[in-house]
Amino acid sequence: MKDFKPTEYKVRCVATGRRFEDEGWTLEDHQCKTPSLVRAEYEVKQLQVRDDSYGIYKFCDWLPVKRMLQGSCAPVTYKSKGLAGELGLENLYITFNGYWPAIGANMTTCSFKETEAYSVCGRFDPSCGKVLVVASAGNTARAFAKVCSDNGIPLLLSVPEENLDALWFEKPLDDCVKLIAAAKGGDYFDAIHLSNMALKSKRFIAEGGAKNIARRDGMGTTVLSATTLIGRIPDYYFQAVGSGTGAIAAWEMNQRLIEDGRFGSHKMKLMVSQNAPFVPMYDAWRADSRHMLEEDDNKARRNAEIIDAKVLSNRRPPYGIIGGLYDALKDTDGAFFVVTNAALRKTARLFRELEGIDIYSAAAVATDSLIQAVRAGMVDKEKIVMLNITGGGERLFQQDKELWYLKPAAVFPLDASPEDVVARCEALF
């Protein structure tokens, strides 16, 4: 293990500006009366990037981690030729999160959720004696399962039964990782609800989702990858959003880079997208509403079932919370796009043809939104565009491999009682 010294930082409440010490797993400011995110403020103001052997921890100056874990890989950014030529863009940079050894990308779960998992688990102190709980639509669960299995961190995953095919691995996992599922008909929100019931037991501790500074700052390494390669903060940032956490993270890293002083003083225009017909944040943004619009739960579940990009199906995202996606889009004069299944499938094929690698459906949503923006004249073709490819290389990674799938230790009905959930989950550890 390389020499490593944790970065000093404080936590600041976005709503009130109150700055205070991190108690180790601070997810919110309990003195704040308004729902608000908190942010890490690092003592190191100018980022020192370490070499690639550090994996994601090459950016540890701006990660709230106590230790480095084995097996991580940082996002890889390169200047596009194929897609850039197709769209007439002079400075299109693709930040690739996935498996593509030819460019140095070695995320074996093939998703940028690894950036979250290595950061969150690097912040987590196993000596607390608690089991980490993570709810996921699929890719996040795969990333946390790999990281926790490889590093002996007890983990309880909660995933919709519909999405269990996302939990593939190249080898069996350590027994410290356990999986529960929300029964068929349930979606990501039902998996979150199930995990919240388990958390009524003191044996478990919530990972925290978007509220966890380590999750957001881990995801923000995509922007650090692009900016440090280019030497300048990009002008546009394209990403598909389910919770919007990755776009919030990009916005926050942008602010740190401005404070650094070496990469420009401008804000990237956040260009985010959802997969139709599941577009609750798009609907709220179009209505200029900080709050999500009312929608029938059953209709939302049906829409979540229809979309190809299941990872974009969060019904309770951190959209309106202070410091959330609404504020990020307002502050950067951002834009929101909608992409159909048919369009993303076509775009995924185009990306593979032009760039030479397969991508996930969510990444295809982001790519299609870039195509829409260029065609609509919303992008200055001479400016620097960052496209965050949040997952890819799965076909390449899986070829000639016999995969192992994580099976749920328990499947709970959507009307399960908290007492039953707690009892059965405690029995797993």
Side-chain angles (χ1 to χ4, degrees):
M1 181 61 72
K2 291 184 168 292
D3 293 335
F4 171 73
K5 183 181 179 183
T7 304
E8 297 293 325
Y9 67 92
K10 295 283 197 305
V11 177
R12 188 184 295 275
C13 175
V14 179
T16 66
R18 190 175 86 88
R19 196 167 185 260
F20 56 101
E21 295 286 344
D22 180 12
E23 295 175 354
W25 203 247
T26 298
L27 298 175
E28 58 191 337
D29 181 1
H30 294 291
Q31 293 187 22
C32 182
K33 307 300 183 187
T34 307
S36 173
L37 295 180
V38 296
R39 290 179 185 159
E41 291 191 348
Y42 298 99
E43 297 302 314
V44 174
K45 299 304 180 187
Q46 285 203 327
L47 178 70
Q48 177 190 345
V49 181
R50 288 148 178 85
D51 65 63
D52 288 341
S53 66
Y54 281 78
I56 193 174
Y57 304 109
K58 68 191 286 186
F59 301 118
C60 63
D61 280 353
W62 290 354
L63 292 174
V65 294
K66 300 178 177 71
R67 58 187 181 138
M68 293 198 307
L69 302 177
Q70 299 287 356
S72 74
C73 177
V76 175
T77 300
Y78 69 95
K79 190 172 185 180
S80 168
K81 293 181 181 177
L83 184 60
E86 178 77 10
L87 298 178
L89 296 175
E90 294 184 15
N91 294 292
L92 172 60
Y93 288 86
I94 294 174
T95 298
F96 188 85
N97 302 268
Y99 185 76
W100 195 3
I103 66 166
N106 290 291
M107 294 182 181
T108 57
T109 65
C110 305
S111 166
F112 92 137
K113 299 302 184 178
E114 278 193 34
T115 65
E116 303 174 22
Y118 279 106
S119 183
V120 168
C121 293
R123 184 189 184 201
F124 182 64
D125 182 2
S127 68
C128 71
K130 293 182 181 287
V131 176
L132 194 62
V133 177
V134 174
S136 167
N139 286 354
T140 300
R142 191 165 70 250
F144 272 89
K146 168 192 159 54
V147 175
C148 289
S149 174
D150 289 351
N151 292 277
I153 300 169
L155 173 69
L156 177 67
L157 293 171
S158 179
V159 173
E161 191 175 17
E162 304 274 5
N163 298 13
L164 293 181
D165 60 351
L167 297 181
W168 54 263
F169 302 91
E170 60 178 323
K171 61 183 180 181
L173 299 181
D174 187 270
D175 200 42
C176 65
V177 176
K178 303 292 186 183
L179 171 66
I180 58 175
K184 284 196 183 333
D187 64 1
Y188 181 26
F189 179 70
D190 295 299
I192 294 172
H193 179 62
L194 181 60
S195 71
N196 286 340
M197 285 192 282
L199 285 162
K200 294 183 182 296
S201 166
K202 292 183 179 179
R203 300 234 356 234
F204 301 110
I205 185 170
E207 180 269 331
K211 292 183 176 181
N212 194 321
I213 55 174
R215 177 180 275 218
R216 302 201 313 272
D217 290 354
M219 297 169 98
T221 59
T222 55
V223 175
L224 300 184
S225 169
T227 300
T228 54
L229 175 86
I230 300 164
R232 184 180 179 279
I233 299 165
D235 296 299
Y236 304 91
Y237 173 90
F238 283 83
Q239 188 198 314
V241 291
S243 68
T245 309
I248 298 166
W251 176 49
E252 292 174 331
M253 279 301 183
N254 190 161
Q255 294 172 63
R256 292 189 185 105
L257 288 163
I258 291 172
E259 191 175 3
D260 180 299
R262 296 173 293 170
F263 302 101
S265 58
H266 60 286
K267 294 172 183 174
M268 300 182 296
K269 187 184 284 284
L270 297 182
M271 313 289 268
V272 299
S273 46
Q274 290 201 285
N275 186 185
F278 188 90
V279 292
M281 288 191 288
Y282 168 80
D283 288 339
W285 178 253
R286 187 176 57 177
D288 195 23
S289 171
R290 173 179 287 277
H291 305 290
M292 302 288 286
L293 308 182
E294 289 294 324
E295 185 175 31
D296 177 71
D297 283 346
N298 289 325
K299 180 183 177 184
R301 286 191 182 101
R302 286 195 301 272
N303 288 341
E305 287 177 14
I306 292 169
I307 62 173
D308 282 4
K310 294 288 191 288
V311 296
L312 305 182
S313 61
N314 189 338
R315 281 192 279 137
R316 298 291 186 273
Y319 171 79
I321 190 171
I322 302 300
L325 185 62
Y326 178 83
D327 288 335
L329 288 171
K330 283 289 186 182
D331 188 53
T332 64
D333 191 26
F336 222 128
F337 301 84
V338 169
V339 178
T340 64
N341 284 343
L344 76 85
R345 292 168 191 168
K346 180 180 178 182
T347 297
R349 292 192 294 271
L350 179 69
F351 191 96
R352 184 165 190 175
E353 175 188 326
L354 295 173
E355 295 294 331
I357 194 70
D358 60 283
I359 58 174
Y360 279 155
S361 52
V365 169
T367 306
D368 193 78
S369 71
L370 170 61
I371 294 170
Q372 289 184 41
V374 170
R375 287 175 177 168
M378 298 171 67
V379 173
D380 184 330
K381 293 188 175 184
E382 295 180 358
K383 290 197 172 180
I384 295 172
V385 179
M386 174 186 169
L387 173 61
N388 188 2
I389 293 297
T390 51
E394 184 175 300
R395 290 186 197 174
L396 179 63
F397 180 77
Q398 291 185 357
Q399 68 184 19
D400 302 324
K401 287 188 176 70
E402 185 174 343
L403 301 176
W404 182 88
Y405 286 82
L406 180 62
K407 303 297 183 185
V411 177
F412 292 94
L414 303 186
D415 60 354
S417 70
E419 295 78 15
D420 182 41
V421 174
V422 166
R424 293 175 69 183
C425 289
E426 285 186 338
L428 297 176
F429 293 92

